[in-house]
Amino acid sequence: MTDPDNAMRFDNINFSADGVHIIKNITGSIPERNITTLVGPSGAGKTTLFKLCNGLYSPDSGDLFIKGKPIERYEPVELRRNVGIALQKATMISGTVQKNLELPLKLQGKELEEDRARDLLKMVSLSDISLHKKTKDLSGGQRQKLSIARTLVNQPNILLLDEITSSLDSISRQDIEELIAKMNNQYGTTILWITHNLQQALSIGHYTWIMMDGELVETGESSFLRNPQNERVKQFVRGEIE
Amino acid sequence: MSFLTLIISLLFVIIPLVLSKTLNLGLEKDTIIAAVRSIIQLLAVGYVLQFVFNSENMIYIILMVVLMIVAATHNAQGKGAAIKGIIWKLVITFIFVEVLTQAILLGLNITPATAQYIIPISGMVVGNSMVLAILFLNRFTSEIEDHQDETELILSLGGTPKQAIHTQLITSIQASTIPTIESQKTIGLVQLPGMMSGQIIAGADPVQAVLFQLLVLFLLLTTAVVTSIMLGYLSYPTLFNQRMQLVGGASQDPE
């Protein structure tokens, strides 16, 4: 069932927490070196699916393959460094920008060189921010960008981005969209991106998955969003389902 | 002190009872229960101690210490209900602290190996260890809950469970041991320790009482730090599973 051209493959994945069935029989593949957008109403299980891919949770049943290898055969630390995740909350550890940026390497007992730290900030359009600035003084958008830069420190092969542009202004949003496209074009990074913005899904995503109530209801090249087949997806695209 | 003076000292129970009744504080029932229980419990302990001291049998001394550890574990376990196997972690911690302190005291001939010394010191050690365990578990469980996002962040970046929980663990150890350290800074200035006061009232030389009190203070310092560290390092691994996932982490995730 594995496929070397797929960065990830889900085979009948189910996941429950506190007796609530959050992920229901998800089956599908995320093609390698492409941008796939994950779209759906709030509470559809999108973030939970990300955490399953990053190994923060394990499925109750089904098989999940990362680069053709069953996820349980990866060492958790190795998996999480290869499948980077930037969550919508953009959680920061208390302290400075530098402390957050160097965190992934500190965890490996390594240091992050200052030049590289500045390059990373530049990459996410934060070059005007001091490395010594306290993260509590950053705006929501700046924290979001810093969270992406921090995820990039591990140079993951697969990047999971959860609503990372939701709190950004239009200029910053454009910067991040360009960064995502660049990561994909120049470095061949596979990107799975949760967004509520259908226009982003159409313009940046090569493929799109629509999730509703824990189920995968429609997938395909992103252009299908212009003419979806599923009735609920049609309603969602028309903005009738939040 | 005779039983007659004990009866007279009940005046100190009657005063709060009268005040409570007059001001409608509603404390009468609890005050009576507390007074009756303390009389029964302490008298019983007094007679048991008298028996153990007279017999000088090591079995009875060990039994007394075991009883203390059982009672301390029973009291502290509720605060760590979220931690798997907390009862055994507490038992191991209390035993370790007791053995460590007694080994130093008896091994270096600081105190004689008699029931008169072993039992009261054990009571202070295990009692203090229990209070520290409660303080630590209280803080640690709330730190885990309040900082779940940070824990998950570190795990998601490829950190180990120990790295993911490090800040919360250190904060909890510090928070639980600070009261012991701080109270020692003001001892003698703000308060006279109960044990020292008791010795002086019983007719002991005040300097001797102070020297003994200092020994106990240093002992309690070790007890406090060792209890928190040991309980912390025994507890944190049970918060994670073999896949380095936070157990129960998904229950707080609405998406």
Side-chain angles (χ1 to χ4, degrees), chain B residues 1-30:
Chain B
M1 191 170 151
S2 65
F3 276 99
L4 180 67
T5 37
L6 175 67
I7 290 164
I8 297 167
S9 71
L10 284 176
L11 259 176
F12 294 116
V13 179
I14 294 167
I15 292 169
L17 278 176
V18 171
L19 285 171
S20 174
K21 187 80 184 162
T22 314
L23 300 171
N24 281 327
L25 299 177
L27 298 172
E28 299 95 292
K29 191 181 164 196
D30 281 335

Side-chain angles (χ1 to χ4, degrees), chain B residues 144-172:
Chain B
I144 294 162
E145 262 185 49
D146 297 347
H147 297 276
Q148 190 180 324
D149 287 344
E150 281 105 305
T151 306
E152 271 200 349
L153 166 72
I154 292 173
L155 290 176
S156 77
L157 290 169
T160 60
K162 190 178 175 184
Q163 290 170 323
I165 208 80
H166 183 258
T167 308
Q168 292 90 308
L169 193 58
I170 297 300
T171 307
S172 309

Side-chain angles (χ1 to χ4, degrees), chain B residues 83 134-146 165-166 168-170 172-173 231-233 235-237 239:
Chain B
I83 296 164
I134 290 171
L135 285 174
F136 173 80
L137 291 172
N138 213 14
R139 182 64 184 254
F140 192 46
T141 44
S142 63
E143 282 284 319
I144 294 162
E145 262 185 49
D146 297 347
I165 208 80
H166 183 258
Q168 292 90 308
L169 193 58
I170 297 300
S172 309
I173 291 171
L231 203 52
Y233 280 86
S235 299
Y236 91 80
L239 302 171

Side-chain angles (χ1 to χ4, degrees), chain A residues 15 18 42-43 45 47-48 51 54-58 71-72 74 76-77 80-81 85 89 91 107 150 154, chain B residues 148-150 152-160 163 241-246 249-255:
Chain A
F15 179 76
D18 285 346
S42 300
T47 303
T48 303
K51 290 185 176 180
N54 178 260
L56 285 174
Y57 304 156
S58 290
I71 196 164
E72 61 274 11
Y74 283 90
V77 168
R80 289 164 190 167
R81 285 177 191 160
I85 186 169
K89 281 183 189 169
T91 303
L107 295 172
R150 187 177 56 194
N154 276 337
Chain B
Q148 190 180 324
D149 287 344
E150 281 105 305
E152 271 200 349
L153 166 72
I154 292 173
L155 290 176
S156 77
L157 290 169
T160 60
Q163 290 170 323
N241 63 19
Q242 282 193 321
R243 295 293 299 165
M244 295 190 184
Q245 295 159 342
L246 193 57
S251 60
Q252 289 193 9
D253 197 346
E255 275 276 317

